[in-house]
Amino acid sequence: MAVVREQLPPGRYGRSADARADHRLRILAVVFGVVTVVLVGWFGYHYVAGTSVSGEIIKFKRVSANAVEVHLEVRKDEGATGTCTLRALNDGHEEVGRKDVRFTASQTRVDQIITVRTTERATAAELVGCSDSDG
């Protein structure tokens, strides 16, 4: 009785079409993964490094029915100029006051108390954001 082979002898006829397709898919997946990591790194670096002015509200205090004092700390590059926008909110989270504060000092850290005038009683203060005036 003769033994019948169901598979071709290994290495005799080269790779099968499935093996070539698997190899191409692996190469494509590696290239796609490398490109994705590079793009995420590039965007992340420019997001972090591109921000030369950043701020943080340390505390705020309502000083009257028409004013709020905000203790603002700003960190920036030496020599950079920037603007931070503050706003005061009422109980309904509606804006009742807004102030843009410009920083031009050569210091890298500015710690300042700013008074924001309001149209009615404010219950909260918020830092909308800071931007670099140089670009």
Side-chain angles (χ1 to χ4, degrees):
M1 181 169 200
V3 177
V4 179
R5 290 185 180 170
E6 294 183 16
Q7 295 181 355
L8 298 174
R12 186 170 189 178
Y13 300 105
R15 286 190 193 172
S16 69
D18 288 342
R20 282 191 299 271
D22 287 346
H23 185 69
R24 286 184 184 141
L25 284 174
R26 283 188 190 122
I27 291 173
L28 186 63
V30 167
V31 169
F32 179 74
V34 168
V35 168
T36 301
V37 167
V38 167
L39 282 174
V40 167
W42 186 77
F43 283 119
Y45 171 77
H46 284 286
Y47 178 76
V48 172
T51 306
S52 63
V53 178
S54 64
E56 178 182 8
I57 290 181
I58 305 300
K59 63 180 179 177
F60 70 93
K61 178 173 73 171
R62 184 175 50 244
V63 292
S64 71
N66 295 326
V68 175
E69 281 185 352
V70 179
H71 182 180
L72 180 66
E73 181 180 290
V74 177
R75 290 167 301 283
K76 62 184 189 62
D77 294 339
E78 189 172 349
T81 59
T83 304
C84 289
T85 303
L86 299 168
R87 70 180 188 167
L89 306 172
N90 66 7
D91 284 332
H93 300 286
E94 296 170 339
E95 185 176 299
V96 293
R98 179 178 283 254
K99 185 167 189 174
D100 291 330
V101 183
R102 185 167 172 82
F103 298 97
T104 58
S106 61
Q107 303 165 333
T108 59
R109 185 176 171 271
V110 179
D111 202 5
Q112 196 171 25
I113 306 284
I114 295 127
T115 301
V116 180
R117 299 184 66 107
T118 62
T119 56
E120 62 182 73
R121 181 179 170 182
T123 58
E126 175 180 68
L127 175 64
V128 176
C130 295
S131 63
D132 185 3
S133 298
D134 296 334

